Amino acid sequence: MKRILLVFSVLIIVFTLSACDDVCVGPECVTGETGGVTSDSIIKFLHVDGHGAESEKDAYILFEFETTNYVKYQISYLSCTCRDANVNYWQVAYVEINKYTNDVSFLSFSLDPEGHYRGGMWGDSDPIPTNNKTLEDFETDFFPWIVGKTLTDFEGISVFSNDDYHGIQNTTNIAEQDMIDDYASSSVSTNNIIRIMKTLLTYHEENYN
């Protein structure tokens, strides 16, 4: 009886493996139209902390899918670095970028445009304790400021401020000063969203133009 069970178990394993011969474990082999992280999907961005200290960090394109008119992306990066390691969560932004105009057409850290799938994940505090700004506030106010912008629109902008930010000064003025004031205590979130969007837009233009 034991031999029969053993033979039966081996047959199940063989059939299972043969049926799943396209399955690959590990980021180095998740490729193709369905997206996935490969060595080519690791891109660098210049992170800035709440004290103005800049450091080059990795960001990961988890998903990349080309449609007729736009490209869908999931990109993961570390925003806040000041918390304890056990709660230093990574963000996942779900972004859609137009192929022909190269502007951000959709940005979310939660659901996709149809509201069917959770393409993003908010890794910063919610609400942010310094000013009580929630993810919903960002979705209502700040993300719409990002949508519609191209890499050219971000030229000269590296922080969400018109003033000196710990030694960092934009060379392009941001018109929405009231919004800057409202989000002044959310600088780590806003500044690194700007920087990750610029990095992704650069990647997009290099690969789809």
Side-chain angles (χ1 to χ4, degrees):
M1 186 65 177
K2 289 183 178 179
R3 290 182 179 179
I4 294 174
L5 289 174
L6 179 61
V7 171
F8 185 67
S9 299
V10 170
L11 286 173
I12 289 176
I13 292 171
V14 169
F15 286 135
T16 301
L17 291 176
S18 62
C20 301
D21 55 5
D22 289 333
V23 175
C24 182
V25 178
E28 68 281 355
C29 54
V30 185
T31 59
E33 293 183 354
T34 54
V37 178
T38 68
S39 59
D40 294 334
S41 300
I42 303 173
I43 56 180
K44 303 289 186 180
F45 87 105
L46 193 60
H47 178 276
V48 59
D49 67 14
H51 304 287
E54 295 179 312
S55 57
E56 188 177 69
K57 294 190 180 297
D58 290 338
Y60 300 87
I61 297 177
L62 305 177
F63 177 79
E64 178 178 350
F65 184 81
E66 181 181 6
T67 71
T68 302
N69 297 315
Y70 61 93
V71 182
K72 301 179 178 183
Y73 296 97
Q74 283 176 304
I75 184 167
S76 181
Y77 68 98
L78 189 61
S79 178
C80 181
T81 57
C82 62
R83 297 172 298 207
D84 292 337
N86 65 331
V87 290
N88 234 0
Y89 299 124
W90 285 60
Q91 309 257 45
V92 179
Y94 173 76
V95 189
E96 294 181 0
I97 301 177
N98 288 316
K99 284 174 58 179
Y100 305 109
T101 53
N102 298 322
D103 61 302
V104 177
S105 59
F106 185 77
L107 168 63
S108 173
F109 286 81
S110 56
L111 299 176
D112 71 337
E114 290 76 31
H116 296 158
Y117 301 100
R118 186 165 294 278
M121 185 192 77
W122 185 249
D124 285 349
S125 302
D126 187 18
I128 292 175
T130 49
N131 62 3
N132 214 37
K133 289 292 182 183
T134 65
L135 173 57
E136 184 177 359
D137 292 324
F138 277 81
E139 291 171 336
T140 302
D141 300 323
F142 186 70
F143 296 168
W145 180 78
I146 298 284
V147 171
K149 285 185 169 51
T150 65
L151 187 59
T152 301
D153 294 324
F154 281 117
E155 188 174 345
I157 299 175
S158 62
V159 291
F160 195 55
S161 176
N162 288 321
D163 300 321
D164 182 279
Y165 182 81
H166 303 289
I168 301 171
Q169 180 70 62
N170 288 339
T171 57
T172 297
N173 189 72
I174 299 171
E176 294 79 4
Q177 184 60 51
D178 289 344
M179 190 189 303
I180 290 174
D181 295 339
D182 288 342
Y183 285 84
S185 298
S186 305
S187 60
V188 169
S189 299
T190 56
N191 291 345
N192 287 299
I193 289 172
I194 289 171
R195 287 168 179 238
I196 204 68
M197 288 301 104
K198 291 178 69 173
T199 301
L200 186 59
L201 285 165
T202 300
Y203 172 90
H204 177 83
E205 289 196 9
E206 289 174 350
N207 287 277
Y208 293 95
N209 287 272

